[in-house]
Amino acid sequence: MATAAQFTAKTIRPTPEQTAIQTSDADTLLVMANAGAAKTTSLALRMAEGLARGLAPKSMLALTYTEPACDALRQALIKIGVPAAEVKGLWISTFERFARYVLKAKEGVEPSHFDQPERVESTVWEAIQVLGGYSLWPDQLHLPVVGDTGFVERFLQASLRIKGTLARERVFWEGDTITPDVAVDLGHDFTYLSLLGTYERLRCPPEDDAPRFRAPMDATYDLARFVSDPDQPDWIDLFPNWPRHVNALLVDEMHDLNAAMFAVLKALLVVNPRCYVCGVGDVDQVLYANAGADARYLDASVWSQETGRQVTQLPLSASYRFNAEVADLAGHFANKLYASHAAHHTQVTTLTYTDDEECAQAVVKVAQQWQAAKHKMSELIVLLRHPHQSVLIENALLAADLPYSTRGMGLYVQRPEVLLVRALLAIATKDFAAVQSASTRQRMVEELVSFCRVELSFSMNEQESAHDRLMEAVRHVVLDPSALTPFFEGQILRNTDPKFAKRLMQAVAIAQDDQSPTSFDRMLDALDMPSWAATHWVEAQRRADAVAHLEGLCIAAKRVGSAQAFFAELNRAELGLEALQAKGAKTAKTSALCLADIASVKGLEFEHVVMPFLAQNEFPSRERTSMADERNLFYVGLTRARSALTLVASSVRPSPFLGEL
């Protein structure tokens, strides 16, 4: 039975459902929620109630899947009236950041973090070579030929799921080995399972105290292996930083839990058996099934079976974010009951377009109308399925003099392939100093080296690593922009593959000598980004994005003239946008709309949501790994809006999702 609330929210009036969550006396409380039903606010109320009942802030641990979710929880706590100083003292972390903290105390170092698949590609190929030499079932392996980036992408996708589910570890803990038959039983490919074992031995050599590196979610995986290993019953002794005085464990985004995360939660409960648990989630917002996310971890019976705890389930059923029309759309799409208790109206508008440029212009028109109505532009967000979709929109916004920011993706003029082109333009114009941002100049030089796969030939110290040499060279060129051309001629052209050098020299020569409006097109043709991208990036979608970014760059260049003139225009545009973002003044916060990746706004809400490029092979994506993930992404985007939702759909090949609304 619940007791009377001791915390009184200052800015909201909790609903009966929220009050039940806030005051529940259950040791383990799982909240099943719909989008827009104030999950994060309800979790914040639960935390505030704990503080009001005398729990020390440091005795409360809140875990989420993403950093934006951490920020959203902090903001929700402040919004309901918890003092900012007290919120600052709360332990709110992602699973991955928590795992890195705990592991560092054991390992003594922080291993290198590789956040791009290209950083681990060489290790994958090394593992392929090693595995091919000793496998007991060579006829059952389907190893690739050298250079097959498609295989590398598929392996990394498969390994993320295998790690998230702890599939390999469970086999070994049960005293079995990985065989073709075991792989079939697990539902995983035998080649990927076998290769993962070899890859992990290279990433985490048995003789070392710490891994050589970690990729995304590897810290959670590494920690889960330790705390779940039946041969390590005294694992707690290995982790001096493991929290031993947790009185409250709060979990947001529980729908994205995988087996590794759940193992960490169970370990926290083993060490802190008297703490209460409150978790919230929505089974229709699972976005990381490719990493093993499973909505079963929202199931009371699973928790009872795995933890031995009595579990109470409570609902958050009605949306307070949007009205009944959007609730009906979301409910119909997700095939579930969905009510709305919102007191405000939500306008739903569907626009159509015939080509991508018309779609971008439609977004600009919506933004202009929003601005003309005196709304805050920061309350308008454009949700994109792919980063490359931002290019045409960014160009159109710049042409319309509408400031914008990005979330979950950089400005397209600062994406790697664009920075490479800008570096070549700086060499052609001999005006690297025109790029006023030192950080942008640094990234331009780094991308030049990275794209060309250059191993710098000079070093003051023979023991100096390639990375250290790169950093020293970059620092010198950034501080002295006139050094870019000598660096390009003496290091890049001399040390890169001859075919790369030929492309680079041709591109620079065209930008130098051709002042016609077609010079930029010709420069990019000489660079041949499609073939370059095919060998540079592991992920097919990333390769497609790179080509699309430069195609968008060409469209923007046609409005300016020569390649050299376009270089100056890019620098001016970037400078203006950076100035707006750096200002931090009230005008900046209210005047810039946002372009965002959908996954980056999960858990957040906005007054006006625009979802463009709703077309076949765009949403759902042609390169999708899971239709379920695509559906959940669409559902998340659909349910972010408070007062207006604008869907911009292809009139020729509309997204099949629209037919389900």
Side-chain angles (χ1 to χ4, degrees):
M1 179 176 293
T3 57
Q6 296 188 31
F7 173 80
T8 302
K10 293 182 179 179
T11 59
I12 66 168
R13 179 178 294 177
T15 66
E17 287 183 339
Q18 289 178 317
T19 300
I21 294 166
Q22 178 183 337
T23 60
S24 172
D25 289 332
D27 287 337
T28 301
L29 178 64
L30 302 182
V31 179
M32 307 288 288
N34 288 331
K39 292 186 297 296
T40 303
T41 299
S42 300
L43 195 65
L45 285 168
R46 181 75 174 179
M47 294 181 73
E49 183 69 19
L51 293 170
R53 295 188 185 190
L55 294 185
K58 291 297 184 184
S59 75
M60 306 180 76
L61 172 60
L63 295 172
T64 75
Y65 194 96
T66 64
E67 290 292 350
C70 291
D71 294 338
L73 181 55
R74 294 187 188 97
Q75 292 167 10
L77 285 160
I78 293 172
K79 183 179 178 180
I80 64 175
V82 179
E86 201 163 8
V87 172
K88 190 175 181 180
L90 291 167
W91 195 355
I92 301 174
S93 172
T94 65
F95 278 89
E96 190 71 353
R97 183 152 44 88
F98 171 79
R100 290 201 301 268
Y101 164 79
V102 172
L103 288 164
K104 186 176 180 178
K106 171 185 176 294
E107 297 166 349
V109 298
E110 182 80 43
S112 298
H113 181 66
F114 293 169
D115 58 351
Q116 299 297 327
E118 290 74 29
R119 300 289 301 278
V120 304
E121 186 178 8
S122 62
T123 306
V124 175
W125 285 114
E126 185 180 355
I128 290 169
Q129 186 177 19
V130 172
L131 178 62
Y134 76 79
S135 174
L136 297 177
W137 295 274
D139 294 340
Q140 299 294 320
L141 291 175
H142 302 286
L143 297 176
V145 297
V146 176
D148 184 355
T149 55
F151 176 89
V152 176
E153 178 179 18
R154 292 190 298 274
F155 165 70
L156 291 176
Q157 289 173 347
S159 66
L160 196 62
R161 182 170 180 82
I162 296 168
K163 289 181 179 182
T165 58
L166 297 176
R168 290 186 70 258
E169 283 65 34
R170 295 185 192 282
V171 172
F172 298 138
W173 293 337
E174 293 172 5
D176 211 338
T177 57
I178 299 294
T179 67
D181 289 341
V182 168
V184 171
D185 292 340
L186 291 173
H188 291 293
D189 181 270
F190 175 66
T191 298
Y192 296 149
L193 273 170
S194 302
L195 184 59
L196 180 61
T198 307
Y199 172 89
E200 282 298 301
R201 284 190 290 275
L202 294 173
R203 184 180 73 87
C204 306
E207 66 275 12
D208 293 349
D209 294 329
R212 290 169 50 199
F213 63 85
R214 287 193 171 105
M217 300 310 299
D218 273 347
T220 303
Y221 170 62
D222 290 343
L223 183 58
R225 287 193 293 180
F226 273 112
V227 302
S228 303
D229 189 348
D231 293 330
Q232 291 275 5
D234 299 323
W235 58 264
I236 187 63
D237 297 332
L238 301 173
F239 302 107
N241 279 4
W242 189 272
R244 291 166 167 81
H245 304 288
V246 177
N247 292 316
L249 179 60
L250 300 303
V251 189
D252 203 357
E253 303 179 307
M254 284 194 71
H255 43 265
D256 279 326
L257 289 185
N258 59 26
M261 294 174 180
F262 192 60
V264 172
L265 289 179
K266 288 196 295 181
L268 281 164
L269 295 179
V270 168
V271 181
N272 302 276
R274 299 183 64 182
C275 85
Y276 72 73
V277 178
C278 179
V280 298
D282 178 1
V283 295
D284 294 302
Q285 292 192 57
V286 177
L287 299 187
Y288 302 102
N290 64 316
D294 195 331
R296 68 187 289 268
Y297 296 117
L298 270 170
D299 191 297
S301 62
V302 172
W303 271 79
S304 296
Q305 182 179 350
E306 294 285 340
T307 66
R309 288 177 160 238
Q310 290 189 334
V311 180
T312 299
Q313 284 192 312
L314 291 177
L316 276 174
S317 56
S319 170
Y320 292 82
R321 179 178 297 154
F322 40 74
N323 69 350
E325 183 177 357
V326 178
D328 286 345
L329 292 176
H332 195 265
F333 185 77
N335 193 30
K336 64 181 179 182
L337 294 175
Y338 216 135
S340 171
H341 291 170
H344 59 274
H345 178 64
T346 307
Q347 179 67 44
V348 180
T349 305
T350 300
L351 307 175
T352 59
Y353 66 93
T354 55
D355 58 47
D356 289 352
E357 287 194 62
E358 186 179 351
C359 182
Q361 290 300 327
V363 172
V364 170
K365 187 175 180 180
V366 170
Q368 290 171 328
Q369 292 171 342
W370 185 254
Q371 185 182 55
K374 307 299 183 182
H375 296 299
K376 292 181 179 178
M377 294 301 287
S378 60
E379 295 176 341
L380 171 66
I381 193 160
V382 182
L383 297 183
L384 304 174
R385 177 61 186 88
H386 303 290
H388 76 258
Q389 295 170 336
S390 81
V391 176
L392 291 176
I393 296 176
E394 288 187 61
N395 287 337
L397 290 170
L398 289 170
D401 199 28
L402 285 172
Y404 65 93
S405 62
T406 59
R407 176 190 286 267
M409 62 184 83
L411 302 172
Y412 94 89
V413 295
Q414 295 178 342
R415 292 172 193 168
E417 54 279 3
V418 179
L419 289 169
L420 169 69
V421 172
R422 292 177 65 189
L424 297 178
L425 287 171
I427 293 164
T429 60
K430 294 183 171 57
D431 193 14
F432 195 28
V435 182
Q436 296 190 29
S437 168
S439 63
T440 299
R441 290 201 302 271
Q442 176 170 325
R443 291 185 59 208
M444 288 166 68
V445 181
E446 289 174 350
E447 295 302 341
L448 190 60
V449 173
S450 172
F451 270 93
C452 298
R453 300 183 178 179
V454 169
E455 201 67 36
L456 300 179
S457 60
F458 57 83
S459 175
M460 298 297 291
N461 182 350
E462 291 298 325
Q463 301 301 314
E464 197 174 28
S465 69
H467 179 267
D468 291 337
R469 291 198 298 271
L470 170 60
M471 290 299 101
E472 178 59 28
V474 167
R475 187 187 69 83
H476 174 67
V477 177
V478 169
L479 293 176
D480 180 11
S482 66
L484 177 61
T485 297
F487 176 79
F488 175 68
E489 294 172 348
Q491 291 293 325
I492 302 296
L493 296 180
R494 184 178 298 173
N495 294 302
T496 193
D497 186 297
K499 67 177 183 290
F500 291 164
K502 183 179 180 181
R503 293 182 197 172
L504 294 168
M505 288 187 293
Q506 287 178 339
V508 170
I510 291 169
Q512 285 176 331
D513 301 334
D514 188 346
Q515 298 301 306
S516 71
T518 62
S519 63
F520 191 74
D521 280 3
R522 293 183 60 233
M523 176 187 174
L524 292 189
D525 286 343
L527 203 57
D528 191 13
M529 182 53 68
S531 63
W532 208 323
T535 60
H536 187 74
W537 281 286
V538 168
E539 299 169 307
Q541 185 60 59
R542 183 64 186 87
R543 298 194 292 270
D545 285 343
V547 174
H549 291 157
L550 296 189
E551 289 174 348
L553 211 62
C554 278
I555 294 171
K558 286 181 171 65
R559 294 196 295 265
V560 178
S562 70
Q564 293 192 26
F566 186 49
F567 178 61
E569 178 62 26
L570 283 173
N571 294 331
R572 283 194 296 270
E574 181 183 60
L575 193 63
L577 285 168
E578 287 186 341
L580 177 68
Q581 293 174 338
K583 236 185 209 182
K586 184 178 180 181
T587 55
K589 292 179 181 179
T590 59
S591 65
L593 62 87
C594 184
L595 307 177
D597 171 75
I598 296 175
S600 72
V601 300
K602 186 158 65 90
L604 306 179
E605 64 180 32
F606 306 89
E607 288 300 319
H608 191 168
V609 169
V610 182
M611 296 180 67
F613 298 108
L614 299 181
Q616 295 177 21
N617 297 325
E618 291 286 343
F619 208 164
S621 170
R622 179 188 288 108
E623 306 294 339
R624 63 181 178 269
T625 57
S626 162
M627 181 58 79
D629 281 1
E630 293 293 307
R631 295 185 61 85
N632 290 343
L633 272 172
F634 187 81
Y635 171 84
V636 168
L638 196 71
T639 55
R640 298 307 96 194
R642 281 183 49 81
S643 62
L645 171 66
T646 301
L647 306 175
V648 190
S650 170
S651 60
V652 180
R653 46 186 183 90
S655 167
F657 289 160
L658 294 172
E660 299 185 46
L661 296 179

